[in-house]
């Protein structure tokens, strides 16, 4: 399993509206990245299709040369078009090009972790992934990629990928209000694979859960902090990548590392929705 601090940072929100184009305030975006590292974040989640290219370039401008302990996790498998659409790009040539784009824009000779993003955010769907994951495994053998992961994957796809090359992480949608992936969380824990929930705080819409406010009030915490703490206590293999474009929200999110929910809290959160 990846040996990382359990709360990282997801950089998607550093791009402009719709995850497209530059942010209104690039200096603020870079300040968020620098503050994350100052506060002990040792893994960033990004992609060259955020922007496109914008977020990786901001990361390079803010943090290069990178701290020795910083792991940059990127994902490939989609392209952005001028109308801001997300277009699948799973042909081996497209995957190779995407790896080289990430290397160039991040200023790296080797990508530490590359997740193969399989399908749009509405959820995984069963299909064969041998051809595309084999292409990534070849890039790993060439030394351009150190570790491989999957994003928006099913259990069957994880099994298929692991028959081709080692998989160190799975990045799927999972949060206190959307627990459809619970079985995969448990399976990855048993197999020593990190599980990285994207949209841990609800994504593009606010997280809705009846008990969050009451539990947060008991702890003098925010609902966001409780939602993150619940994920940390859900399984020891969970790594978090909450994203924000605000230094204040970043600092609040990272305080979830110190919040310990009681058995009463967990029971209440697990029995009300």
């Amino acid at each position: 399993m990846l040996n990382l601090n359990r709360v990282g940072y997801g950089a998607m929100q550093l791009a402009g509206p719709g995850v497209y184009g530059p942010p209104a305030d690039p200096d603020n975006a870079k300040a968020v990245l620098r503050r994350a590292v100052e506060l002990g974040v040792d893994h960033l989640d990004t992609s060259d299709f955020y922007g496109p290219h914008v977020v990786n370039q901001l990361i390079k401008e803010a943090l290069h040369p990178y701290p020795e302990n910083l792991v940059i996790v990127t994902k490939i498998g989609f392209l952005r078009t001028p109308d801001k659409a997300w277009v699948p790009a799973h042909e081996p040539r497209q995957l190779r090009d995407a790896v080289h784009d990430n290397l160039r824009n991040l200023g790296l000779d080797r990508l530490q972790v590359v997740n193969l993003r399989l399908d749009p955010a509405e959820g995984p769907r069963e299909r064969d992934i041998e051809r595309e994951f084999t292409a990534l495994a070849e890039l790993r053998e060439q030394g351009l990629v150190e570790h491989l992961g999957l994003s928006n994957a099913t259990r069957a796809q994880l099994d298929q990928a692991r028959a081709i090359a080692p998989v160190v992480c799975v990045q799927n949608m999972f949060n206190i209000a959307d627990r459809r992936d619970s079985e995969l969380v448990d399976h990855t824990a048993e197999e020593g694979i990190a599980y990285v929930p994207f949209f841990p705080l609800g994504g593009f819409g606010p997280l809705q859960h009846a008990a969050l406010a009451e539990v947060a009030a008991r702890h003098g915490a925010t609902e966001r902090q409780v939602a993150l703490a619940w994920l940390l206590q859900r399984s020891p293999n969970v790594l978090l990548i909450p994203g924000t474009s605000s230094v204040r929200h970043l600092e609040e999110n990272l305080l979830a590392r110190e919040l310990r929910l009681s058995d009463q809290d967990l029971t209440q959160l697990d029995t009300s929705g």
Side-chain angles (χ1 to χ4, degrees):
M1 189 183 297
L2 294 171
N3 184 24
L4 298 170
N5 294 335
R6 295 193 64 200
V7 183
Y9 172 73
M12 182 178 71
Q13 294 186 38
L14 297 184
V19 201
Y20 197 90
D25 187 346
D27 288 337
N28 174 72
K30 287 181 274 190
V32 171
L33 288 162
R34 294 182 182 121
R35 184 61 175 152
V37 172
E38 288 174 0
L39 292 174
V41 165
D42 64 357
H43 56 109
L44 305 178
D45 178 81
T46 186
S47 175
D48 215 50
F49 54 69
Y50 294 163
H53 315 306
V54 169
V55 170
N56 279 353
Q57 291 168 355
L58 286 168
I59 290 172
K60 180 181 177 182
E61 291 170 14
L63 300 175
H64 195 278
Y66 301 113
E68 288 186 7
N69 70 328
L70 183 65
V71 173
I72 298 178
V73 181
T74 190
K75 66 183 71 65
I76 62 176
F78 277 77
L79 295 172
R80 304 301 303 280
T81 55
D83 62 354
K84 302 185 181 180
W86 304 76
V87 179
H90 292 137
E91 290 298 314
R93 174 187 55 79
Q94 294 174 312
L95 297 174
R96 288 192 293 269
D97 288 348
V99 164
H100 285 284
D101 285 344
N102 278 274
L103 287 167
R104 180 178 63 256
N105 286 310
L106 288 168
L108 292 169
D109 297 322
R110 180 175 65 171
L111 298 174
Q112 293 144 304
V113 184
V114 173
N115 285 319
L116 175 62
R117 178 64 177 226
L118 294 176
D119 289 297
E122 54 262 24
R125 62 181 178 88
E126 294 290 3
R127 64 177 180 83
D128 187 278
I129 64 169
E130 180 179 3
R131 186 164 177 255
E132 56 224 81
F133 203 77
T134 297
L136 272 189
E138 291 171 353
L139 292 168
R140 177 176 172 269
E141 291 171 2
Q142 294 167 19
L144 295 177
V145 177
E146 185 174 357
H147 299 294
L148 300 178
L150 293 172
S151 179
N152 235 9
T154 67
R155 164 73 181 272
Q157 288 166 336
L158 173 59
D159 292 343
Q160 185 179 32
R162 294 180 74 196
I164 298 168
V167 175
V168 299
C169 58
V170 172
Q171 187 184 100
N172 282 10
M173 180 184 287
F174 187 72
N175 57 52
I176 194 169
D178 186 342
R179 309 184 196 187
R180 289 173 291 178
D181 227 27
S182 283
E183 289 186 7
L184 191 56
V185 174
D186 294 335
H187 174 67
T188 51
E190 292 168 359
E191 296 295 317
I193 297 169
Y195 185 95
V196 187
F198 66 76
F199 293 165
L201 295 170
F204 296 111
L207 189 66
Q208 300 293 325
H209 191 282
L212 280 175
E214 187 173 339
V215 174
R218 278 204 296 269
H219 287 273
T222 68
E223 293 184 25
R224 294 164 60 97
Q225 289 166 340
V226 171
L228 294 174
W230 179 86
L231 283 166
L232 290 174
Q233 290 179 229
R234 171 61 180 77
S235 183
N237 68 319
V238 168
L239 300 177
L240 298 186
I241 49 168
T244 178
S245 59
S246 160
V247 170
R248 180 174 65 84
H249 282 156
L250 168 74
E251 293 171 346
E252 288 179 357
N253 290 342
L254 290 173
L255 287 173
R257 297 176 296 193
E258 304 167 15
L259 177 58
R260 185 70 184 175
L261 302 177
S262 68
D263 290 342
Q264 176 191 352
D265 297 329
L266 295 173
T267 297
Q268 184 174 359
L269 293 167
D270 288 340
T271 56
S272 61

